[in-house]
Amino acid sequence: KLVKAEDKVRKHFGVPVYNSSGVRCKNHNSAVGGVANSRHLAGKAVDFRVKGKTAKQVLKYVNTLPEIRYAYAIDDTYVHMDIT
């Protein structure tokens, strides 16, 4: 479901999508400052950027997808999104 959602983003913008964080083990999640109940641990979250697009541009589209539970800008470029 998460991969399909991210593929929708790629198809919508027509450019590559680059992941910076997907599924995390508990140790790595802790090492990068993830919260104890991070959805990354269950494979239900991804942090990514879209080539040539700002996080604001990406979020505008991501927030229209019904399968997205929560999304936010990590900085001006990267977006976090997780699925229902």
Coordinates of all heavy atoms in Angstrom, one line a residue:
K1 N 0.8 -1.2 0.0 CA 0.0 0.0 0.0 C 0.9 1.3 0.0 O 0.6 2.2 -0.7 CB -0.9 0.0 1.2 CG -2.0 1.0 1.2 CD -3.0 0.7 2.4 CE -4.1 1.7 2.4 NZ -5.0 1.4 3.5
L2 N 1.9 1.2 0.8 CA 2.8 2.4 0.9 C 3.6 2.6 -0.5 O 3.7 3.7 -1.0 CB 3.8 2.2 2.0 CG 4.8 3.4 2.2 CD1 4.0 4.7 2.6 CD2 5.8 3.0 3.4
V3 N 4.1 1.5 -1.0 CA 4.8 1.6 -2.3 C 3.8 2.1 -3.4 O 4.2 2.9 -4.2 CB 5.4 0.2 -2.7 CG1 5.9 0.2 -4.1 CG2 6.4 -0.2 -1.7
K4 N 2.6 1.6 -3.4 CA 1.6 2.1 -4.4 C 1.4 3.6 -4.2 O 1.2 4.3 -5.2 CB 0.3 1.3 -4.3 CG 0.5 -0.1 -4.8 CD -0.8 -0.9 -4.7 CE -0.7 -2.3 -5.2 NZ -1.9 -3.1 -5.1
A5 N 1.3 4.0 -3.0 CA 1.0 5.5 -2.8 C 2.2 6.3 -3.3 O 2.1 7.3 -3.9 CB 0.8 5.7 -1.3
E6 N 3.4 5.8 -3.0 CA 4.6 6.5 -3.4 C 4.7 6.5 -5.0 O 5.1 7.5 -5.6 CB 5.9 6.0 -2.8 CG 7.0 6.9 -2.9 CD 8.2 6.5 -2.1 OE1 8.3 5.3 -1.7 OE2 9.1 7.3 -1.9
D7 N 4.3 5.4 -5.6 CA 4.3 5.3 -7.0 C 3.3 6.3 -7.6 O 3.6 6.9 -8.7 CB 4.0 3.9 -7.5 CG 4.4 3.7 -8.9 OD1 5.6 4.1 -9.3 OD2 3.7 3.1 -9.7
K8 N 2.2 6.5 -7.0 CA 1.3 7.6 -7.4 C 1.9 8.9 -7.5 O 1.7 9.7 -8.4 CB 0.0 7.6 -6.5 CG -0.9 6.5 -6.7 CD -2.1 6.7 -5.8 CE -3.1 5.6 -5.9 NZ -4.3 5.8 -5.0
V9 N 2.7 9.2 -6.4 CA 3.5 10.5 -6.4 C 4.4 10.6 -7.5 O 4.5 11.6 -8.2 CB 4.2 10.6 -5.0 CG1 5.1 11.9 -5.0 CG2 3.2 10.6 -3.8
R10 N 5.2 9.5 -7.8 CA 6.1 9.5 -8.9 C 5.4 9.7 -10.2 O 5.9 10.6 -11.1 CB 6.9 8.2 -8.9 CG 7.9 8.1 -10.0 CD 8.5 6.7 -10.2 NE 7.5 5.7 -10.5 CZ 7.0 5.5 -11.7 NH1 7.4 6.2 -12.7 NH2 6.1 4.6 -11.9
K11 N 4.3 9.0 -10.4 CA 3.6 9.2 -11.7 C 3.0 10.6 -11.8 O 3.0 11.2 -12.9 CB 2.5 8.1 -11.8 CG 3.1 6.7 -12.1 CD 2.0 5.7 -12.1 CE 2.6 4.3 -12.3 NZ 1.5 3.3 -12.2
H12 N 2.5 11.1 -10.8 CA 1.9 12.4 -10.8 C 2.9 13.5 -11.2 O 2.6 14.3 -12.1 CB 1.3 12.8 -9.4 CG 0.8 14.2 -9.3 ND1 -0.4 14.6 -9.8 CD2 1.3 15.3 -8.8 CE1 -0.6 15.9 -9.6 NE2 0.5 16.4 -9.1
F13 N 4.1 13.5 -10.7 CA 5.1 14.5 -11.0 C 5.9 14.1 -12.2 O 6.6 15.0 -12.8 CB 6.0 14.7 -9.8 CG 5.3 15.5 -8.7 CD1 4.9 14.8 -7.5 CD2 5.0 16.8 -8.8 CE1 4.2 15.5 -6.5 CE2 4.3 17.5 -7.8 CZ 3.9 16.8 -6.7
G14 N 6.0 12.8 -12.6 CA 6.7 12.4 -13.7 C 8.2 12.5 -13.6 O 8.9 12.6 -14.6
V15 N 8.7 12.5 -12.4 CA 10.2 12.5 -12.2 C 10.5 11.5 -11.1 O 9.6 11.1 -10.3 CB 10.6 14.0 -11.8 CG1 10.4 14.9 -12.9 CG2 9.9 14.5 -10.5
P16 N 11.8 11.2 -10.9 CA 12.2 10.3 -9.8 C 11.8 10.7 -8.4 O 11.8 11.9 -8.1 CB 13.7 10.2 -10.0 CG 14.0 10.6 -11.4 CD 13.0 11.6 -11.7
V17 N 11.6 9.7 -7.6 CA 11.3 9.9 -6.2 C 12.5 9.2 -5.4 O 12.8 8.1 -5.8 CB 10.0 9.3 -5.8 CG1 9.8 9.2 -4.3 CG2 8.8 10.0 -6.4
Y18 N 13.1 9.9 -4.5 CA 14.2 9.3 -3.7 C 13.9 9.1 -2.3 O 13.5 10.1 -1.6 CB 15.4 10.3 -3.8 CG 15.9 10.5 -5.3 CD1 15.4 11.7 -5.9 CD2 16.7 9.6 -5.9 CE1 15.8 11.9 -7.2 CE2 17.0 9.9 -7.3 CZ 16.6 11.0 -7.9 OH 17.0 11.2 -9.2
N19 N 14.0 7.9 -1.8 CA 13.7 7.6 -0.4 C 14.9 7.9 0.5 O 16.0 7.6 0.1 CB 13.3 6.1 -0.2 CG 12.0 5.8 -0.8 OD1 11.2 6.6 -1.1 ND2 11.8 4.5 -1.0
S20 N 14.7 8.5 1.6 CA 15.8 8.6 2.6 C 15.6 7.7 3.8 O 16.6 7.4 4.5 CB 15.9 10.1 3.1 OG 14.8 10.5 3.7
S21 N 14.4 7.2 4.0 CA 14.1 6.3 5.1 C 12.8 5.6 4.9 O 11.8 6.2 4.6 CB 14.0 7.1 6.4 OG 13.9 6.2 7.5
G22 N 12.9 4.3 5.0 CA 11.7 3.5 4.8 C 11.5 2.6 6.1 O 11.4 3.2 7.2
V23 N 11.4 1.3 5.9 CA 11.3 0.4 7.0 C 12.5 0.5 7.9 O 13.7 0.5 7.4 CB 11.1 -1.0 6.5 CG1 11.0 -2.0 7.7 CG2 9.9 -1.2 5.7
R24 N 12.3 0.6 9.2 CA 13.5 0.7 10.1 C 13.4 -0.4 11.2 O 12.3 -0.7 11.6 CB 13.4 2.0 10.9 CG 13.5 3.3 10.1 CD 13.4 4.5 11.0 NE 13.4 5.7 10.3 CZ 13.0 6.9 10.8 NH1 12.5 6.9 12.0 NH2 13.0 8.0 10.1
C25 N 14.5 -0.9 11.6 CA 14.6 -1.8 12.7 C 14.5 -0.9 14.0 O 14.8 0.3 13.9 CB 15.8 -2.7 12.7 SG 17.3 -1.8 13.0
K26 N 14.2 -1.5 15.1 CA 14.1 -0.8 16.4 C 15.4 0.0 16.7 O 15.4 1.2 17.1 CB 13.7 -1.7 17.5 CG 13.3 -1.0 18.7 CD 12.8 -2.1 19.7 CE 12.3 -1.4 21.0 NZ 11.8 -2.3 22.0
N27 N 16.6 -0.7 16.5 CA 17.8 0.0 16.9 C 18.1 1.2 16.0 O 18.5 2.3 16.5 CB 19.0 -1.0 16.8 CG 19.0 -2.0 17.9 OD1 18.4 -1.8 18.9 ND2 19.6 -3.2 17.6
H28 N 17.9 1.1 14.7 CA 18.1 2.2 13.8 C 17.1 3.3 14.0 O 17.5 4.5 14.0 CB 18.1 1.8 12.3 CG 18.3 2.9 11.4 ND1 19.5 3.5 11.2 CD2 17.4 3.5 10.5 CE1 19.4 4.4 10.3 NE2 18.2 4.5 9.9
N29 N 15.9 3.0 14.3 CA 14.9 4.0 14.6 C 15.3 4.8 15.8 O 15.2 6.0 15.8 CB 13.5 3.3 14.8 CG 12.4 4.3 15.0 OD1 12.1 5.0 14.1 ND2 11.8 4.3 16.1
S30 N 15.8 4.1 16.8 CA 16.3 4.8 18.0 C 17.5 5.7 17.7 O 17.6 6.8 18.1 CB 16.6 3.8 19.1 OG 17.0 4.4 20.2
A31 N 18.4 5.2 16.9 CA 19.6 5.9 16.6 C 19.3 7.2 15.8 O 20.1 8.2 15.9 CB 20.6 5.0 15.8
V32 N 18.3 7.2 15.0 CA 18.0 8.4 14.2 C 17.0 9.3 14.9 O 16.5 10.3 14.3 CB 17.5 8.0 12.7 CG1 18.6 7.3 12.0 CG2 16.2 7.2 12.7
G33 N 16.6 9.0 16.1 CA 15.7 9.8 16.9 C 14.3 9.6 16.6 O 13.4 10.4 16.9
G34 N 13.9 8.4 16.0 CA 12.5 8.1 15.8 C 11.8 7.8 17.1 O 12.4 7.4 18.1
V35 N 10.5 8.1 17.1 CA 9.7 7.8 18.2 C 9.5 6.3 18.4 O 9.6 5.6 17.5 CB 8.3 8.6 18.2 CG1 8.5 10.1 18.1 CG2 7.5 8.1 16.9
A36 N 9.2 5.9 19.6 CA 9.1 4.5 20.0 C 8.0 3.8 19.2 O 8.2 2.6 18.8 CB 8.8 4.3 21.5
N37 N 6.9 4.5 18.8 CA 5.8 3.9 18.1 C 5.9 4.3 16.6 O 4.8 4.3 16.0 CB 4.5 4.2 18.7 CG 4.2 5.6 18.7 OD1 5.0 6.5 18.5 ND2 2.9 6.0 18.9
S38 N 7.0 4.6 16.1 CA 7.2 5.0 14.7 C 6.5 4.1 13.7 O 6.7 2.8 13.8 CB 8.7 5.2 14.3 OG 8.8 5.4 13.0
R39 N 5.8 4.6 12.7 CA 5.2 3.8 11.7 C 6.2 3.2 10.8 O 5.9 2.3 10.0 CB 4.1 4.5 11.0 CG 3.0 4.8 12.1 CD 1.8 5.5 11.6 NE 1.1 4.9 10.5 CZ 0.1 3.9 10.6 NH1 -0.2 3.4 11.8 NH2 -0.5 3.4 9.6
H40 N 7.4 3.8 10.8 CA 8.5 3.2 10.0 C 8.8 1.8 10.5 O 9.2 0.9 9.7 CB 9.8 4.0 10.2 CG 9.8 5.3 9.4 ND1 10.2 5.4 8.1 CD2 9.6 6.6 9.8 CE1 10.1 6.7 7.7 NE2 9.8 7.4 8.8
L41 N 8.6 1.5 11.7 CA 8.9 0.1 12.3 C 8.0 -0.9 11.7 O 8.3 -2.1 11.6 CB 8.8 0.1 13.8 CG 9.7 1.0 14.6 CD1 9.3 1.1 16.0 CD2 11.2 0.5 14.4
A42 N 6.8 -0.5 11.3 CA 5.8 -1.4 10.7 C 5.8 -1.4 9.2 O 4.9 -2.0 8.6 CB 4.4 -1.1 11.3
G43 N 6.7 -0.6 8.6 CA 6.7 -0.5 7.1 C 5.6 0.3 6.6 O 5.2 0.1 5.5
K44 N 5.0 1.2 7.4 CA 3.9 2.0 7.0 C 4.2 3.5 6.8 O 3.3 4.3 6.8 CB 2.7 1.8 8.0 CG 2.2 0.4 8.0 CD 1.0 0.3 8.9 CE 0.4 -1.1 8.7 NZ -0.9 -1.2 9.4
A45 N 5.5 3.8 6.8 CA 5.9 5.2 6.6 C 7.2 5.3 5.7 O 8.0 4.3 5.7 CB 6.2 5.9 8.0
V46 N 7.3 6.4 5.1 CA 8.5 6.7 4.2 C 8.8 8.1 4.3 O 7.9 9.0 4.4 CB 8.3 6.2 2.8 CG1 7.2 7.0 2.1 CG2 9.6 6.2 2.0
D47 N 10.1 8.4 4.2 CA 10.6 9.8 4.1 C 11.2 9.9 2.7 O 12.0 9.0 2.4 CB 11.6 10.2 5.2 CG 11.1 10.0 6.6 OD1 9.8 10.1 6.8 OD2 11.9 9.8 7.5
F48 N 10.9 10.9 1.9 CA 11.4 10.9 0.6 C 11.4 12.4 0.0 O 10.8 13.3 0.6 CB 10.5 10.0 -0.3 CG 9.1 10.6 -0.5 CD1 8.7 11.3 -1.6 CD2 8.1 10.4 0.5 CE1 7.4 11.8 -1.7 CE2 6.8 10.9 0.4 CZ 6.5 11.6 -0.7
R49 N 12.0 12.5 -1.1 CA 11.9 13.8 -1.9 C 11.6 13.5 -3.3 O 11.8 12.3 -3.8 CB 13.2 14.5 -1.8 CG 14.4 13.9 -2.5 CD 15.7 14.8 -2.4 NE 16.8 14.2 -3.0 CZ 17.1 14.3 -4.3 NH1 16.4 15.1 -5.1 NH2 18.2 13.7 -4.8
V50 N 11.1 14.5 -4.0 CA 10.8 14.3 -5.4 C 11.7 15.3 -6.2 O 11.8 16.5 -5.8 CB 9.3 14.7 -5.7 CG1 9.0 14.6 -7.2 CG2 8.4 13.7 -4.9
K51 N 12.4 14.7 -7.2 CA 13.3 15.5 -7.9 C 12.8 16.8 -8.4 O 11.7 16.8 -9.1 CB 13.9 14.7 -9.1 CG 14.9 15.4 -9.9 CD 15.5 14.5 -11.0 CE 16.6 15.2 -11.8 NZ 17.1 14.4 -12.9
G52 N 13.4 17.9 -8.1 CA 13.0 19.3 -8.6 C 11.8 19.9 -7.9 O 11.3 20.9 -8.4
K53 N 11.2 19.2 -6.9 CA 10.0 19.7 -6.3 C 10.3 20.1 -4.8 O 11.1 19.5 -4.1 CB 8.9 18.7 -6.4 CG 8.6 18.2 -7.8 CD 8.1 19.4 -8.6 CE 7.8 18.9 -10.0 NZ 7.5 20.0 -10.9
T54 N 9.5 21.1 -4.3 CA 9.6 21.4 -2.9 C 8.7 20.5 -2.1 O 7.8 19.9 -2.6 CB 9.2 22.9 -2.7 OG1 7.8 23.0 -3.0 CG2 10.0 23.9 -3.5
A55 N 9.0 20.4 -0.8 CA 8.1 19.7 0.1 C 6.7 20.2 0.0 O 5.7 19.4 0.0 CB 8.7 19.7 1.5
K56 N 6.6 21.5 -0.1 CA 5.2 22.1 -0.1 C 4.5 21.6 -1.4 O 3.3 21.3 -1.3 CB 5.4 23.6 -0.1 CG 4.1 24.4 0.0 CD 4.3 25.9 0.1 CE 3.0 26.6 0.2 NZ 3.2 28.1 0.3
Q57 N 5.1 21.6 -2.5 CA 4.5 21.1 -3.8 C 4.1 19.6 -3.6 O 3.0 19.3 -4.0 CB 5.5 21.3 -4.9 CG 5.7 22.7 -5.4 CD 6.9 22.8 -6.4 OE1 7.9 22.2 -6.2 NE2 6.6 23.5 -7.5
V58 N 5.0 18.8 -3.1 CA 4.7 17.4 -2.9 C 3.5 17.2 -1.9 O 2.6 16.4 -2.2 CB 5.9 16.7 -2.4 CG1 5.6 15.2 -2.1 CG2 7.0 16.8 -3.5
L59 N 3.5 17.9 -0.8 CA 2.5 17.8 0.2 C 1.1 18.1 -0.4 O 0.1 17.5 0.0 CB 2.8 18.6 1.4 CG 3.8 18.0 2.4 CD1 4.1 19.0 3.5 CD2 3.2 16.7 3.0
K60 N 1.1 19.1 -1.2 CA -0.2 19.5 -1.8 C -0.9 18.3 -2.5 O -2.1 18.1 -2.4 CB 0.0 20.7 -2.8 CG -1.3 21.3 -3.3 CD -1.0 22.5 -4.2 CE -2.3 23.1 -4.7 NZ -2.1 24.3 -5.5
Y61 N -0.1 17.5 -3.2 CA -0.6 16.4 -3.9 C -0.8 15.2 -2.9 O -1.9 14.6 -2.9 CB 0.3 15.9 -5.0 CG -0.2 14.6 -5.6 CD1 -1.3 14.6 -6.4 CD2 0.5 13.4 -5.5 CE1 -1.8 13.4 -6.9 CE2 0.1 12.3 -6.0 CZ -1.1 12.2 -6.7 OH -1.6 11.1 -7.2
V62 N 0.2 14.9 -2.1 CA 0.1 13.8 -1.1 C -1.1 13.9 -0.3 O -1.8 12.8 0.0 CB 1.4 13.7 -0.3 CG1 1.2 12.8 0.9 CG2 2.6 13.2 -1.1
N63 N -1.5 15.0 0.2 CA -2.7 15.2 1.0 C -4.0 15.0 0.3 O -5.0 15.0 1.0 CB -2.6 16.6 1.7 CG -1.6 16.6 2.8 OD1 -1.4 15.6 3.6 ND2 -0.9 17.7 3.0
T64 N -4.0 14.8 -1.0 CA -5.2 14.4 -1.7 C -5.4 12.9 -1.8 O -6.5 12.5 -2.2 CB -5.2 15.0 -3.2 OG1 -4.2 14.3 -4.0 CG2 -4.9 16.5 -3.2
L65 N -4.4 12.1 -1.4 CA -4.5 10.7 -1.5 C -5.2 10.1 -0.4 O -4.9 10.3 0.8 CB -3.1 10.1 -1.6 CG -2.2 10.5 -2.8 CD1 -0.8 10.0 -2.7 CD2 -2.9 10.2 -4.1
P66 N -6.3 9.3 -0.6 CA -7.1 8.8 0.5 C -6.4 7.8 1.4 O -6.8 7.7 2.6 CB -8.3 8.2 -0.2 CG -7.8 7.9 -1.6 CD -6.8 8.9 -1.9
E67 N -5.4 7.1 0.9 CA -4.7 6.2 1.7 C -3.6 6.8 2.7 O -3.1 6.1 3.5 CB -4.0 5.1 0.9 CG -2.9 5.6 -0.1 CD -3.5 6.0 -1.5 OE1 -4.4 6.9 -1.6 OE2 -3.0 5.5 -2.5
I68 N -3.4 8.1 2.6 CA -2.4 8.7 3.4 C -3.1 9.1 4.7 O -4.1 9.8 4.8 CB -1.8 10.0 2.7 CG1 -1.2 9.5 1.4 CG2 -0.8 10.6 3.6 CD1 -0.1 8.4 1.5
R69 N -2.5 8.6 5.8 CA -3.0 8.9 7.2 C -2.4 10.2 7.7 O -3.1 11.0 8.3 CB -2.6 7.8 8.1 CG -3.1 7.9 9.5 CD -2.5 6.8 10.4 NE -1.2 7.1 10.8 CZ -0.8 7.7 11.9 NH1 -1.7 8.1 12.8 NH2 0.5 7.8 12.2
Y70 N -1.2 10.5 7.4 CA -0.5 11.7 7.9 C 0.7 12.0 7.0 O 1.4 11.1 6.6 CB 0.0 11.3 9.3 CG 0.6 12.5 10.1 CD1 -0.1 13.6 10.4 CD2 1.9 12.4 10.5 CE1 0.4 14.6 11.1 CE2 2.5 13.4 11.2 CZ 1.7 14.6 11.5 OH 2.3 15.6 12.2
A71 N 0.9 13.2 6.8 CA 2.1 13.7 6.0 C 2.6 15.0 6.4 O 1.7 15.9 6.8 CB 1.8 13.7 4.5
Y72 N 3.9 15.3 6.4 CA 4.4 16.6 6.8 C 5.7 16.8 6.1 O 6.4 15.9 5.7 CB 4.5 16.7 8.3 CG 5.4 15.7 9.0 CD1 6.8 16.0 9.1 CD2 5.0 14.5 9.5 CE1 7.6 15.1 9.7 CE2 5.8 13.6 10.1 CZ 7.1 13.9 10.2 OH 8.0 13.0 10.8
A73 N 6.1 18.1 6.0 CA 7.4 18.4 5.5 C 8.5 18.2 6.6 O 8.3 18.7 7.7 CB 7.5 19.9 5.0
I74 N 9.6 17.5 6.2 CA 10.7 17.4 7.2 C 11.5 18.6 7.1 O 12.0 19.1 8.1 CB 11.5 16.1 6.8 CG1 10.6 14.9 7.0 CG2 12.8 16.0 7.7 CD1 11.2 13.6 6.5
D75 N 11.7 19.1 5.9 CA 12.4 20.4 5.7 C 11.8 20.9 4.4 O 10.7 20.6 4.0 CB 13.9 20.2 5.6 CG 14.4 19.2 4.6 OD1 13.6 18.9 3.6 OD2 15.5 18.6 4.7
D76 N 12.5 21.8 3.6 CA 12.0 22.4 2.4 C 11.9 21.3 1.2 O 11.3 21.6 0.2 CB 12.8 23.5 1.9 CG 12.7 24.7 2.9 OD1 11.7 24.8 3.6 OD2 13.7 25.6 2.9
T77 N 12.6 20.2 1.4 CA 12.7 19.2 0.3 C 12.0 17.9 0.6 O 11.3 17.3 -0.2 CB 14.2 19.0 -0.1 OG1 14.8 20.3 -0.3 CG2 14.3 18.1 -1.3
Y78 N 12.3 17.4 1.8 CA 11.8 16.0 2.2 C 10.5 16.0 2.8 O 10.1 16.9 3.6 CB 12.9 15.3 3.1 CG 14.1 14.9 2.4 CD1 15.1 15.7 2.1 CD2 14.1 13.6 1.8 CE1 16.3 15.3 1.4 CE2 15.2 13.1 1.1 CZ 16.3 14.0 0.9 OH 17.4 13.6 0.2
V79 N 9.7 14.9 2.5 CA 8.4 14.7 3.1 C 8.3 13.4 3.8 O 8.9 12.4 3.4 CB 7.4 14.7 1.9 CG1 6.0 14.3 2.3 CG2 7.3 16.1 1.3
H80 N 7.6 13.4 4.9 CA 7.2 12.1 5.6 C 5.8 11.8 5.2 O 4.9 12.7 5.3 CB 7.4 12.3 7.1 CG 6.8 11.1 7.9 ND1 7.5 10.0 8.3 CD2 5.5 10.9 8.3 CE1 6.7 9.2 8.9 NE2 5.5 9.7 8.9
M81 N 5.5 10.6 4.9 CA 4.1 10.2 4.7 C 3.9 8.8 5.3 O 4.8 8.0 5.2 CB 3.6 10.3 3.3 CG 4.1 9.3 2.3 SD 3.3 9.5 0.7 CE 4.0 8.1 -0.2
D82 N 2.7 8.6 5.9 CA 2.4 7.3 6.3 C 1.0 6.9 5.9 O 0.2 7.8 5.7 CB 2.7 7.0 7.8 CG 2.0 7.8 8.8 OD1 0.7 7.8 8.8 OD2 2.6 8.5 9.6
I83 N 0.7 5.6 5.8 CA -0.5 5.1 5.3 C -1.5 4.7 6.4 O -1.0 4.4 7.5 CB -0.3 4.0 4.3 CG1 0.5 2.9 5.0 CG2 0.3 4.5 3.0 CD1 0.5 1.6 4.1
T84 N -2.7 4.5 6.1 CA -3.7 4.1 7.0 C -3.5 2.6 7.3 O -2.9 1.9 6.6 CB -5.2 4.3 6.5 OG1 -5.2 3.7 5.2 CG2 -5.5 5.7 6.3

